[in-house]
Amino acid sequence: MSADTGGEARSPRVEDLPKYRGLPVPYLVPWDGEPGYEPAIGVSLTDGVWRVAFADERPGDRDEHGVLWYRNEPRVDDDDDLVALPHMGRVHERRQRECMRRPACQVCGRSLDPAAVPWLLPTPEMADMGEGGHRCTPTPPTCLDCVPASRRYCPALREAGSTLLTVHAFTVWGVSGIVHNTPADAVELLGRRRRGWIGWDSELLPLTAAQEIVVRIDAFDIVDAVPVDGPAPRWPSPQGGFTTIRK
């Protein structure tokens, strides 16, 4: 599978994607050698601010906000002995960031019109899309051509139902990731780490090892909604859940 981020003409349709056990492998899924990993992380006081850092930090480990990101190693495609397998149910951190910011389809990687982005969400997420809701999601867009396959194979969409939006405005709100403890609160928290959604204005951002971009959906129309469906061949579900942390 190529991680090419070029123009739309080079992006595969869902039927052209590589297959695993007969199912198409989404652009967002990491392959052998690509899954994100966390090198040794330390917490230190720099200019009066507690920050997380890799022991062997490299250029590109941080984004323009100074946020530390989990790494993805490049896949080796020229090794004849490599049998590439997708890590279904996991997310390639860099491609997730790309899909959110470009924006692009999480299934085929195709660029989308930022003024009218098709966005397919599990129906429970719609509870926060009303007046007063936070309207945030780490789920990237899905192009209209890939919506049917997503609804057929994705367990989160099949088991909870799905709602298709046309998003006219969105804001990159923050990140999801692991919040590490400072030495000051390590005794109280017993060294535990918290997984959450962290806004750009949060005091916890310097302590976060980021895994995904979170966007806020600001203006949208509902295209349609599909209720819970029955069993079918399916992509495995991602692990874990998140808590929103703003301050």
Side-chain angles (χ1 to χ4, degrees):
M1 175 179 173
S2 172
D4 177 60
T5 60
E8 181 173 337
R10 298 186 62 186
S11 299
R13 303 281 174 171
V14 65
E15 60 269 17
D16 299 324
L17 292 171
K19 303 294 192 297
Y20 175 66
R21 296 182 178 175
L23 303 180
V25 179
Y27 179 67
L28 205 62
V29 169
W31 292 74
D32 278 342
E34 288 189 325
Y37 71 98
E38 178 188 317
I41 284 184
V43 180
S44 61
L45 189 64
T46 306
D47 298 327
V49 178
W50 288 103
R51 302 181 188 277
V52 292
F54 293 143
D56 61 342
E57 193 162 319
R58 310 170 186 170
D61 280 342
R62 296 184 184 271
D63 63 16
E64 68 275 16
H65 295 276
V67 177
L68 187 70
W69 280 84
Y70 275 60
R71 290 176 182 163
N72 291 106
E73 292 300 315
R75 178 179 161 203
V76 180
D77 285 319
D78 57 356
D79 186 344
D80 292 336
D81 296 327
L82 176 66
V83 179
L85 294 174
H87 291 244
M88 303 294 276
R90 297 188 63 178
V91 171
H92 188 284
E93 283 84 357
R94 290 188 182 275
R95 288 201 284 274
Q96 192 271 353
R97 289 160 65 187
E98 171 204 335
C99 288
M100 288 298 216
R101 287 174 164 160
R102 202 163 19 127
C105 175
Q106 64 168 308
V107 178
C108 69
R110 190 179 319 157
S111 294
L112 302 169
D113 178 0
V117 186
W119 222 298
L120 187 62
L121 297 174
T123 295
E125 287 197 30
M126 294 303 299
D128 285 323
M129 293 293 164
E131 190 67 30
H134 64 68
R135 299 190 178 191
C136 287
T137 180
T139 302
T142 303
C143 76
L144 294 178
D145 286 344
C146 293
V147 165
S150 296
R151 282 176 158 163
R152 174 169 174 76
Y153 298 127
C154 176
L157 300 180
R158 292 186 61 82
E159 293 168 8
S162 61
T163 301
L164 177 61
L165 310 177
T166 298
V167 173
H168 304 291
F170 66 93
T171 303
V172 178
W173 176 86
V175 302
S176 70
I178 303 297
V179 182
H180 292 255
N181 302 316
T182 68
D185 66 12
V187 174
E188 178 185 351
L189 296 173
L190 302 177
R192 289 175 296 172
R193 301 178 302 174
R194 296 160 288 182
R195 192 179 189 194
W197 293 356
I198 315 298
W200 296 133
D201 61 347
S202 173
E203 62 188 18
L204 297 175
L205 195 63
L207 289 167
T208 302
Q211 296 170 303
E212 295 177 297
I213 283 287
V214 175
V215 304
R216 185 185 68 232
I217 294 177
D218 299 314
F220 66 93
D221 295 318
I222 296 177
V223 178
D224 63 33
V226 171
V228 175
D229 205 346
R234 62 190 212 166
W235 292 319
S237 353
Q239 299 287 323
F242 288 87
T243 302
T244 302
I245 303 175
R246 288 184 172 83
K247 283 290 186 181

